[in-house]
Amino acid sequence: MPASKPYCNDPIGIFDSGVGGLSILKQVATVLPNEHLLYFSDSAYAPYGEKSTDFIKMRCQQLANFLISHKAKALVVACNTATTEAIADMRQHTDIPIIGVEPAIKPATKLSKTQAIGVMATHRTINSSRYRDLLAQHASQIQVYNVVCYELAEIVEQYPQGNQRSMVLIEQYTKEMRENRVDVLVLGCTHYPFLTEQIRQVMGEHITLLETGIPVALQVENILKQHSLSCTSLQQGKIEFFSSLDTPAHTDSIHQLWGRNVTVKKVDWVQ
Ligand code: DGL
């Protein structure tokens, strides 16, 4: 629950299990340059994709409380895994708007000429009932190759552009798709857009890669308008970075992925 009624010039709180949500933050900052943004990277607890549902729910509520205590007027769950596992619960416990992220299945089915699409995501996302419903709603008529991509998000946490191991894993994970004329590949985890170069190298230049940063940013814009919460400032918004981890290597990953050095505040304890 927010401590007081949200105000339109309050910040938007955005979080992910780690650095992956920076791919969403970038687009929100581009679409809404005057908004003040808070980003929380829960890297001490990444990856979420292999944690229990109860753990993910608890952690997401703690992060939501932290961001609300920093006056967030709306929340963006910049993580497919956290959205599938925890957003419904979070909505029951807070009365500010919460925007989630989910694999871009509907646009993928529209774009595919071969009627065969691939989806790369975490174990939790692929095996969630929310994801199954999404497939049933939009993709019952086409072939979908779902691949649980163990380890990839962890690699991005440490090696922002990937490493040899991620290349080997991508080759392995996409083998069946490559053999079956998949022409659209959905990046169903916000860490994976940072591996675009490696994925293209393996899949070939013809592949259409779908990530969700821009649609999510536009959705945030709409939701703020609907709630009369769009900021009125004409100045460029501030972006503040928080993390549950503060090793130099982690800070360096954030700098590389964000494209410049920023101050990352370490948060020891959230509840
Ligand atoms: N970035 C998260 C997502 O979009 C997953 C990474 C993790 O497993 O923590 O699903």
Side-chain angles (χ1 to χ4, degrees), residues 16-17 47-49 79-81 122 153 189-191:
D16 176 41
S17 62
Y48 281 1
C79 175
N80 295 263
T81 309
T122 67
C189 166
T190 55
H191 282 69

mmCIF file of all heavy atoms in Angstrom, residues 16-17 47-49 79-81 122 153 189-191, ligand 1:
data_model
loop_
_atom_site.group_PDB
_atom_site.id
_atom_site.type_symbol
_atom_site.label_atom_id
_atom_site.label_comp_id
_atom_site.label_asym_id
_atom_site.label_seq_id
_atom_site.Cartn_x
_atom_site.Cartn_y
_atom_site.Cartn_z
ATOM 1 N N ASP A 16 13.652 -6.076 -11.787
ATOM 2 C CA ASP A 16 13.878 -7.396 -12.412
ATOM 3 C C ASP A 16 14.693 -8.219 -11.418
ATOM 4 O O ASP A 16 15.274 -7.679 -10.465
ATOM 5 C CB ASP A 16 14.647 -7.225 -13.731
ATOM 6 C CG ASP A 16 14.992 -8.571 -14.391
ATOM 7 O OD1 ASP A 16 14.137 -9.476 -14.384
ATOM 8 O OD2 ASP A 16 16.114 -8.717 -14.895
ATOM 9 N N SER A 17 14.770 -9.528 -11.692
ATOM 10 C CA SER A 17 15.624 -10.388 -10.875
ATOM 11 C C SER A 17 17.082 -9.933 -10.949
ATOM 12 O O SER A 17 17.890 -10.333 -10.126
ATOM 13 C CB SER A 17 15.539 -11.822 -11.387
ATOM 14 O OG SER A 17 16.026 -11.871 -12.717
ATOM 15 N N PRO A 47 19.304 -16.208 -10.542
ATOM 16 C CA PRO A 47 18.108 -16.067 -11.367
ATOM 17 C C PRO A 47 16.836 -16.477 -10.627
ATOM 18 O O PRO A 47 16.885 -17.354 -9.758
ATOM 19 C CB PRO A 47 18.385 -17.045 -12.510
ATOM 20 C CG PRO A 47 19.179 -18.154 -11.861
ATOM 21 C CD PRO A 47 19.998 -17.492 -10.784
ATOM 22 N N TYR A 48 15.724 -15.826 -10.974
ATOM 23 C CA TYR A 48 14.419 -16.215 -10.418
ATOM 24 C C TYR A 48 13.889 -17.467 -11.121
ATOM 25 O O TYR A 48 13.099 -18.209 -10.558
ATOM 26 C CB TYR A 48 13.386 -15.107 -10.655
ATOM 27 C CG TYR A 48 13.447 -13.921 -9.724
ATOM 28 C CD1 TYR A 48 14.389 -13.802 -8.707
ATOM 29 C CD2 TYR A 48 12.509 -12.896 -9.868
ATOM 30 C CE1 TYR A 48 14.403 -12.688 -7.872
ATOM 31 C CE2 TYR A 48 12.513 -11.790 -9.040
ATOM 32 C CZ TYR A 48 13.468 -11.680 -8.046
ATOM 33 O OH TYR A 48 13.458 -10.581 -7.233
ATOM 34 N N GLY A 49 14.308 -17.665 -12.388
ATOM 35 C CA GLY A 49 13.717 -18.706 -13.237
ATOM 36 C C GLY A 49 13.806 -20.108 -12.675
ATOM 37 O O GLY A 49 13.058 -20.987 -13.067
ATOM 38 N N CYS A 79 10.280 -8.349 -15.817
ATOM 39 C CA CYS A 79 10.747 -9.728 -15.745
ATOM 40 C C CYS A 79 9.577 -10.642 -16.097
ATOM 41 O O CYS A 79 8.519 -10.565 -15.446
ATOM 42 C CB CYS A 79 11.227 -9.993 -14.312
ATOM 43 S SG CYS A 79 11.726 -11.677 -13.979
ATOM 44 N N ASN A 80 9.750 -11.457 -17.122
ATOM 45 C CA ASN A 80 8.679 -12.375 -17.525
ATOM 46 C C ASN A 80 8.363 -13.377 -16.418
ATOM 47 O O ASN A 80 7.216 -13.714 -16.165
ATOM 48 C CB ASN A 80 9.098 -13.155 -18.773
ATOM 49 C CG ASN A 80 9.265 -12.262 -19.983
ATOM 50 O OD1 ASN A 80 8.363 -12.132 -20.795
ATOM 51 N ND2 ASN A 80 10.414 -11.630 -20.111
ATOM 52 N N THR A 81 9.424 -13.859 -15.775
ATOM 53 C CA THR A 81 9.267 -14.880 -14.739
ATOM 54 C C THR A 81 8.468 -14.321 -13.559
ATOM 55 O O THR A 81 7.522 -14.938 -13.072
ATOM 56 C CB THR A 81 10.667 -15.331 -14.260
ATOM 57 O OG1 THR A 81 11.455 -15.666 -15.401
ATOM 58 C CG2 THR A 81 10.576 -16.515 -13.335
ATOM 59 N N THR A 122 12.562 -18.747 -19.329
ATOM 60 C CA THR A 122 13.036 -19.516 -18.174
ATOM 61 C C THR A 122 12.099 -20.700 -17.899
ATOM 62 O O THR A 122 10.971 -20.745 -18.393
ATOM 63 C CB THR A 122 13.095 -18.641 -16.903
ATOM 64 O OG1 THR A 122 11.760 -18.288 -16.530
ATOM 65 C CG2 THR A 122 13.923 -17.392 -17.126
ATOM 66 N N ALA A 153 20.391 -16.474 -18.313
ATOM 67 C CA ALA A 153 20.245 -15.200 -17.572
ATOM 68 C C ALA A 153 21.437 -15.005 -16.638
ATOM 69 O O ALA A 153 21.971 -13.896 -16.509
ATOM 70 C CB ALA A 153 18.937 -15.199 -16.788
ATOM 71 N N CYS A 189 12.530 -13.571 -22.039
ATOM 72 C CA CYS A 189 13.212 -13.242 -20.785
ATOM 73 C C CYS A 189 13.940 -11.930 -21.057
ATOM 74 O O CYS A 189 14.582 -11.784 -22.109
ATOM 75 C CB CYS A 189 14.203 -14.342 -20.425
ATOM 76 S SG CYS A 189 15.386 -13.877 -19.134
ATOM 77 N N THR A 190 13.835 -10.984 -20.138
ATOM 78 C CA THR A 190 14.372 -9.643 -20.414
ATOM 79 C C THR A 190 15.902 -9.604 -20.427
ATOM 80 O O THR A 190 16.487 -8.611 -20.847
ATOM 81 C CB THR A 190 13.825 -8.624 -19.400
ATOM 82 O OG1 THR A 190 14.102 -9.088 -18.064
ATOM 83 C CG2 THR A 190 12.339 -8.433 -19.577
ATOM 84 N N HIS A 191 16.539 -10.685 -20.003
ATOM 85 C CA HIS A 191 18.006 -10.753 -20.115
ATOM 86 C C HIS A 191 18.457 -11.031 -21.560
ATOM 87 O O HIS A 191 19.555 -10.674 -21.944
ATOM 88 C CB HIS A 191 18.569 -11.874 -19.231
ATOM 89 C CG HIS A 191 18.651 -11.549 -17.770
ATOM 90 N ND1 HIS A 191 17.544 -11.401 -16.973
ATOM 91 C CD2 HIS A 191 19.732 -11.356 -16.954
ATOM 92 C CE1 HIS A 191 17.928 -11.145 -15.726
ATOM 93 N NE2 HIS A 191 19.256 -11.107 -15.687
HETATM 94 N N1 DGL B 1 14.768 -11.463 -16.594
HETATM 95 C C1 DGL B 1 13.935 -12.538 -16.150
HETATM 96 C C2 DGL B 1 12.783 -12.778 -17.106
HETATM 97 O O1 DGL B 1 12.430 -11.906 -17.887
HETATM 98 C C3 DGL B 1 14.540 -13.886 -15.894
HETATM 99 C C4 DGL B 1 15.856 -14.070 -15.338
HETATM 100 C C5 DGL B 1 15.860 -14.987 -14.140
HETATM 101 O O2 DGL B 1 15.687 -16.196 -14.277
HETATM 102 O O3 DGL B 1 16.042 -14.420 -13.071
HETATM 103 O O4 DGL B 1 12.203 -13.831 -17.096
#
